[in-house]
Amino acid sequence: MRHDHLKRELELILLLAQNKQYGVGEICAKLGISRRSFYYYIDFFEQAGFNVEKNGRFYSLSRSSEFFHKLYELVQLREDEVVTMRRLIEDVGLENSTLKALYHRLDRFYDFKILEDEHLQRRVMEMRSVMYDAIKHRRVVRIVGYSSPSSHTVTDRVVEPFMFLNNNRDVRCYELSSGKNKTFRLSRMVDVKKTDKPWENEHQHRQAYTDFFSFSGERTMRVTLVMGQLSHNLMLEEYPESAACFVRQDDGRWFFRADVCSYLGVGRFILGLYDDVEVLGDDGLKEYVATKLQSWYNNLKK
């Protein structure tokens, strides 16, 4: 039936839009479709205007596709709505576990020092509108007075913006002077000036991924852990979206597998509960944790 095909198409869109990497075989197994059907759907998506990305053997749908921009504009929460939600939760109290989880989720994804500053909020919204228009029409912009905490500089940047991140607080851009893709925070800009110059480097644009520890990068690493009850519960309380990454084992512990952009977030969690977490992989994470523990031990002996 056509409805069955439509259901699988929607499920495939959701799967390919996730911040994960799936091979063709894994996708076909998850959705119960043949490889021939998979490639048929991919061809259909491209004809429908989706930006289909292939990285090695992995497929994904770029979030810069016009469809996602339109959908997000329809369903996103406005900043004033987010602030109101947070205040209502504070008034009711955090005794309810669902409200507590929602409160922490809002705190992770929104900077309320920014949202409650009306002047700054208005300026950010104006710059976001310019960025959105530049992305829509594929135009270069000049970011005026960008304050970079990493280089401790305040400079203008000429960029090709192509993707919003972090609930529209950040924008992913290709910087012309450095030839690199970078993520810029709107609140650190003085202004944004749109130019008439069209994109010339779209083939260099690279999607950024964000893990649920709030770290971003152009690639992800798959990590696997085994957690006891304490670390499992704390992970869910601090990062509710991690629930899909857990599988309960027969011995009462929890197997955890997730894609991360940096070892910093997951490493901090492991080091804080080292006696309740077993690191299975990857090798980079094992080395990261071992190095941190050795450094801590060396400092302890001084």
Side-chain angles (χ1 to χ4, degrees):
M1 295 177 62
R2 174 56 190 164
H3 288 169
D4 293 333
H5 288 296
L6 179 58
K7 181 175 181 292
R8 280 194 290 270
E9 289 169 358
L10 293 173
E11 289 174 341
L12 182 55
I13 289 174
L14 292 175
L15 196 64
L16 293 176
Q18 292 181 28
N19 186 25
K20 296 182 179 180
Q21 292 185 321
Y22 295 107
V24 177
E26 192 175 2
I27 292 172
C28 292
K30 284 179 176 290
L31 301 182
I33 61 175
S34 66
R35 286 177 174 266
R36 180 178 179 182
S37 295
F38 170 80
Y39 290 116
Y40 168 80
Y41 289 137
I42 290 296
D43 183 61
F44 169 73
F45 291 159
E46 289 179 329
Q47 292 180 30
F50 285 93
N51 297 330
V52 178
E53 295 184 337
K54 186 174 185 296
N55 182 17
R57 63 186 183 88
F58 300 110
Y59 282 85
S60 63
L61 290 179
S62 171
R63 295 179 190 177
S64 64
S65 300
E66 186 67 18
F67 172 84
F68 291 123
H69 286 306
K70 291 179 179 179
L71 180 62
Y72 193 80
E73 285 296 309
L74 289 173
V75 302
Q76 70 171 331
L77 292 172
R78 299 196 315 270
E79 284 83 354
D80 60 325
E81 294 172 332
V82 173
V83 172
T84 300
M85 286 176 61
R86 184 173 183 263
R87 288 173 178 169
L88 287 173
I89 294 172
E90 289 174 338
D91 291 341
V92 173
L94 299 178
E95 289 77 14
N96 181 283
S97 59
T98 302
L99 288 179
K100 184 177 180 180
L102 177 59
Y103 183 88
H104 289 308
R105 183 186 292 252
L106 292 175
D107 264 349
R108 271 203 312 281
F109 289 106
Y110 296 91
D111 188 334
F112 286 95
K113 291 181 180 178
I114 295 174
L115 294 180
E116 293 176 337
D117 183 331
E118 293 184 3
H119 175 73
L120 180 58
Q121 179 182 339
R122 184 165 52 253
R123 181 168 61 83
V124 168
M125 291 177 67
E126 290 171 353
M127 292 188 295
R128 183 184 298 122
S129 178
V130 175
M131 284 291 192
Y132 177 83
D133 194 55
I135 293 173
K136 181 178 180 180
H137 296 101
R138 290 174 163 77
R139 291 293 184 269
V140 171
V141 304
R142 181 166 61 89
I143 298 173
V144 179
Y146 186 76
S147 177
S148 172
S150 57
S151 62
H152 305 288
T153 60
V154 178
T155 56
D156 290 2
R157 312 291 186 96
V158 180
V159 301
E160 297 177 0
F162 59 88
M163 181 183 185
F164 283 111
L165 298 169
N166 198 13
N167 289 285
N168 287 350
R169 290 167 54 196
D170 304 334
V171 61
R172 188 71 171 168
C173 304
Y174 178 82
E175 186 179 47
L176 301 188
S177 61
S178 65
K180 295 181 179 179
N181 291 286
K182 297 183 179 181
T183 300
F184 296 94
R185 178 146 294 186
L186 288 167
S187 61
R188 294 174 183 163
M189 305 174 187
V190 173
D191 201 0
V192 177
K193 301 292 185 182
K194 182 183 171 185
T195 75
D196 293 328
K197 183 178 180 181
W199 290 353
E200 295 179 352
N201 303 279
E202 188 170 358
H203 62 289
Q204 300 280 9
H205 295 180
R206 297 291 183 269
Q207 179 177 350
Y209 300 96
T210 302
D211 58 32
F212 51 73
F213 297 102
S214 296
F215 287 92
S216 299
E218 292 184 9
R219 67 185 186 94
T220 60
M221 294 83 73
R222 176 155 294 188
V223 300
T224 53
L225 312 171
V226 175
M227 299 188 190
Q229 194 66 39
L230 174 62
S231 51
H232 167 258
N233 290 346
L234 289 176
M235 175 69 84
L236 289 180
E237 290 174 8
E238 192 170 354
Y239 305 102
E241 59 270 38
S242 68
C245 303
F246 283 101
V247 176
R248 188 177 180 85
Q249 298 189 138
D250 293 337
D251 62 1
R253 297 191 300 168
W254 295 84
F255 179 82
F256 173 87
R257 182 172 67 179
D259 294 323
V260 300
C261 299
S262 168
Y263 294 133
L264 291 174
V266 67
R268 178 191 65 81
F269 186 85
I270 294 168
L271 293 169
L273 296 158
Y274 66 91
D275 55 348
D276 198 52
V277 181
E278 179 184 354
V279 181
L280 301 182
D282 63 1
D283 291 340
L285 178 60
K286 290 181 178 180
E287 182 179 352
Y288 175 85
V289 172
T291 300
K292 289 294 183 182
L293 287 174
Q294 186 63 53
S295 176
W296 176 82
Y297 179 70
N298 292 340
N299 289 332
L300 193 65
K301 291 195 300 180
K302 292 180 180 179

